[in-house]
Amino acid sequence: EAEVAQSPRYKITEKSQAVAFWCDPISGHATLYWYRQILGQGPELLVQFQDESVVDDSQLPKDRFSAERLKGVDSTLKIQPAELGDSAMYLCASKTGTANTEAFFGQGTRLTVV
Amino acid sequence: DAKTTQPTSMDCAEGRAANLPCNHSTISGNEYVYWYRQIHSQGPQYIIHGLKNNETNEMASLIITEDRKSSTLILPHATLRDTAVYYCIVKAGNTPLVFGKGTRLSVIA
């Protein structure tokens, strides 16, 4: 069964360092999402892509976060510089471009900033 | 903000049916009801979704009231592996999923 792949699975970084997460969506999925989930809360949307274009990045802290999906396939989320409050699970999800269909999530990257 | 209301937690005996309620009284005509669950330290897992008719798949059944203001997710024979946080989400089209706090279901042996 096709899956959304994310790496690394876990990441520990020092504050003020740069960190990057990678996501490979299910083949053929035009829509890609990045979510952040703080412990004990539900996931919150950071950015949505349709192919290589950003559809919604209104909740992305653009002073330190960036996201790209250059060829409309895999995607990278970067944080620079990392802050203690960025410790969270970062989740990637993808879906087809067809309306009212389900999205599939990867296993996430657990980030700890020390 | 999430458009749904769910109980914070529920318990269910192993082997019994788990019935998880969700209130979505402000649902719009074009919005579907989606259910996801999240087992500890894993990504959310899609369960089922529907518009107005009841739906069933290999994982669960979704019962939507006629006025569409509430729904119930049914796990027919709960197992310990069904212990998770269950999220009820309403959305339309290709808009992103907006998660609330969900219901923490504990299946007890």
Side-chain angles (χ1 to χ4, degrees):
Chain A
E1 183 176 300
E3 294 183 344
V4 176
Q6 289 190 248
S7 66
R9 187 78 171 89
Y10 302 93
K11 180 70 177 178
I12 300 175
T13 191
E14 294 183 346
K15 63 180 180 180
S16 79
Q17 295 299 303
V19 64
F21 316 125
W22 178 78
C23 172
D24 190 10
I26 293 172
S27 178
H29 280 195
T31 305
L32 184 147
Y33 310 91
W34 283 101
Y35 284 81
R36 176 172 61 185
Q37 184 173 26
I38 295 170
L39 196 62
Q41 300 182 18
E44 296 178 316
L45 181 73
L46 291 174
V47 62
Q48 176 182 351
F49 288 93
Q50 183 69 25
D51 298 310
E52 68 276 8
S53 300
V54 173
V55 173
D56 181 0
D57 63 356
S58 58
Q59 300 305 310
L60 189 70
K62 299 181 189 61
D63 57 336
R64 297 184 301 107
F65 286 65
S66 65
E68 61 183 17
R69 193 183 184 200
L70 294 176
K71 297 183 179 179
V73 181
D74 57 337
S75 176
T76 303
L77 179 69
K78 297 179 181 177
I79 308 175
Q80 182 173 17
E83 296 180 352
L84 295 177
D86 296 331
S87 294
M89 175 80 87
Y90 290 84
L91 294 158
C92 178
S94 72
K95 67 183 294 296
T96 70
T98 303
N100 301 314
T101 55
E102 62 271 28
F104 297 91
F105 285 79
Q107 291 304 299
T109 296
R110 169 73 65 187
L111 173 68
T112 302
V113 182
V114 298
Chain B
D1 290 335
K3 301 179 184 178
T4 63
T5 304
Q6 299 178 251
T8 301
S9 63
M10 294 181 63
D11 292 337
C12 178
E14 188 178 22
R16 304 296 295 269
N19 296 278
L20 292 91
C22 180
N23 183 287
H24 32 80
S25 58
T26 61
I27 191 170
S28 301
N30 63 341
E31 289 183 316
Y32 283 63
V33 180
Y34 288 76
W35 283 84
Y36 280 76
R37 72 180 182 184
Q38 190 170 25
I39 296 169
H40 183 63
S41 295
Q42 297 184 20
Q45 177 188 22
Y46 166 78
I47 302 173
I48 199 167
H49 74 290
L51 181 63
K52 54 183 178 181
N53 297 322
N54 297 337
E55 301 287 344
T56 296
N57 62 22
E58 65 278 4
M59 290 183 67
S61 294
L62 173 60
I63 308 299
I64 302 174
T65 58
E66 192 168 343
D67 64 7
R68 302 208 324 122
K69 292 185 177 182
S70 66
S71 60
T72 301
L73 179 74
I74 301 172
L75 307 179
H77 305 286
T79 71
L80 298 178
R81 288 183 293 180
D82 291 322
T83 293
V85 178
Y86 286 76
Y87 296 99
C88 170
I89 299 164
V90 296
K91 78 177 202 74
N94 282 323
T95 59
L97 296 159
V98 177
F99 290 81
K101 297 185 186 301
T103 295
R104 183 171 298 278
L105 175 68
S106 297
V107 180
I108 303 167

